[in-house]
Amino acid sequence: MFEMPKSAALMLQGGSLRCLFTAGVLDVMMEREITFPCVGGVSAGSLCGINYVARQPGRTAQVNLDYVNDKRYMGLESFVKNKSVFNFDFLFGELSQELLPLDYDTFYNSPQRYVAFSTDCRTGELVAHEKGVSEDILMAARASCSIPLMSPMVEVDGRHCLDGGVASAVPVDWAIEQGYEKIVVVLTRQKGYRKKPVGWTMLRLYQQKYRDWPLLVEALRLLPVRYNELHAQINRLERSGRIFVIRPRGPVQVSRVEKDVGKLKALYEEGRHMAEERLPAMLEYLNK
């Protein structure tokens, strides 16, 4: 029987609805009873992590596949009413409490360390919110998912926060600094993907929207540079055997706010397939 090393961490990239890939990977892990001592998630990765710690295979996929075209969950109406393209009041409220209940008891009582990462709007730096330490870990996950320009800032743990992906797409450095010897990273983009520089029009929008938050604007301006540097670092760490990476095989044809259920289902199935394909190598890495 496989015994998980105590010094192992699972780090999950975001990407909004591209998280269907991550959902497929984590469902296979749950079905195989592969439980990491530490789970860290950025943006939508933080939501995937909640369902993983709550031991609810299929829930991430069901939430998105069943409700992606429900105006209560996502869309223009939510943006007009809530100033957010994703309606987190519905997601963390009626959806999680009544329609597709989250197993709060299992999540909160799990011995697994769970961390949701956001960006501090005052400093532009990464913030780690930990279950059992943060004043409201679900609010921290909400902050982690709050996309700039598409969501309002979220106040949590005494800070105004936005999407963790602004500061770091996937905090591998944090896991290393925390002393984790075995780190499995789930990405939602293919190898070689790189972000383009922030265009002038988008930069002007950031400057106008966040004129009172200059370090946040600077973090947004530098986001593509930091993203590309991070992924070059991830490739180096993967080649050296320091970390293990599961990622889509080819370009992901799913947007952040994808409404094509067929595309989302296909991405979920790709996540499952890649997990099953990579599982033997991952277990070998964890056992070394």
Side-chain angles (χ1 to χ4, degrees), residues 17-158:
L17 288 168
R18 288 189 289 272
C19 76
L20 266 295
F21 177 84
T22 305
V25 173
L26 297 187
D27 281 357
V28 170
M29 289 187 182
M30 283 188 273
E31 290 161 8
R32 303 292 182 89
E33 298 185 353
I34 297 172
T35 304
F36 283 80
C38 175
V39 182
V42 172
S43 194
S46 69
L47 300 182
C48 293
I50 288 173
N51 292 319
Y52 175 70
V53 174
R55 315 310 296 165
Q56 290 183 271
R59 186 173 184 273
T60 298
Q62 191 174 1
V63 165
N64 290 291
L65 295 176
D66 289 0
Y67 290 92
V68 69
N69 287 302
D70 189 319
K71 63 183 181 181
R72 294 173 296 175
Y73 177 46
M74 185 187 82
L76 181 60
E77 184 171 317
S78 174
F79 187 74
V80 171
K81 183 178 180 180
N82 307 297
K83 307 302 180 186
S84 176
V85 69
F86 289 95
N87 184 356
F88 294 117
D89 289 337
F90 175 68
L91 175 61
F92 289 103
E94 183 181 0
L95 186 54
S96 292
Q97 294 170 11
E98 299 175 20
L99 300 175
L100 290 175
L102 174 68
D103 188 339
Y104 293 98
D105 288 342
T106 298
F107 173 72
Y108 283 113
N109 294 322
S110 171
Q112 288 175 279
R113 188 182 186 190
Y114 168 81
V115 183
F117 296 92
S118 71
T119 299
D120 185 327
C121 295
R122 183 180 63 83
T123 65
E125 296 178 353
L126 190 71
V127 183
H129 310 272
E130 186 168 350
K131 176 169 68 80
V133 178
S134 173
E135 61 186 22
D136 187 340
I137 192 61
L138 295 183
M139 187 62 72
R142 177 173 179 155
S144 181
C145 297
S146 294
I147 305 170
L149 301 180
M150 298 172 72
S151 304
M153 293 178 183
V154 176
E155 188 171 352
V156 59
D157 296 336

Side-chain angles (χ1 to χ4, degrees), residues 151-286:
S151 304
M153 293 178 183
V154 176
E155 188 171 352
V156 59
D157 296 336
R159 307 167 188 258
H160 287 83
C161 298
L162 280 173
D163 194 324
V166 174
S168 178
V170 53
V172 174
D173 285 341
W174 177 90
I176 292 173
E177 291 166 3
Q178 291 286 306
Y180 288 100
E181 297 174 359
K182 299 292 183 178
I183 302 168
V184 173
V185 178
V186 180
L187 302 179
T188 54
R189 288 289 197 181
Q190 76 278 8
K191 193 169 187 177
Y193 174 80
R194 294 295 182 268
K195 284 189 178 292
K196 297 178 181 179
V198 175
W200 183 86
T201 301
M202 184 61 70
L203 182 59
R204 287 292 296 161
L205 287 173
Y206 288 146
Q207 291 171 337
Q208 292 169 8
K209 177 71 174 180
Y210 303 119
R211 56 184 175 274
D212 296 328
W213 309 85
L215 294 182
L216 173 63
V217 173
E218 181 66 1
L220 288 163
R221 185 183 71 82
L222 292 175
L223 190 158
V225 175
R226 291 175 174 172
Y227 182 99
N228 296 340
E229 290 175 349
L230 172 63
H231 282 265
Q233 178 192 9
I234 285 173
N235 291 340
R236 290 193 299 270
L237 292 169
E238 182 184 23
R239 285 194 301 270
S240 70
R242 179 65 179 87
I243 67 174
F244 187 89
V245 181
I246 300 174
R247 54 165 71 83
R249 191 181 303 279
V252 176
Q253 305 298 330
V254 166
S255 72
R256 275 185 166 186
V257 291
E258 183 65 59
K259 286 183 170 289
D260 187 326
V261 174
K263 285 185 178 181
L264 296 173
K265 285 182 177 178
L267 186 58
Y268 170 76
E269 291 299 331
E270 182 183 356
R272 290 190 61 92
H273 174 77
M274 289 305 298
E276 290 166 351
E277 180 180 298
R278 299 280 282 153
L279 193 60
M282 185 187 81
L283 296 180
E284 181 181 356
Y285 160 79
L286 291 169

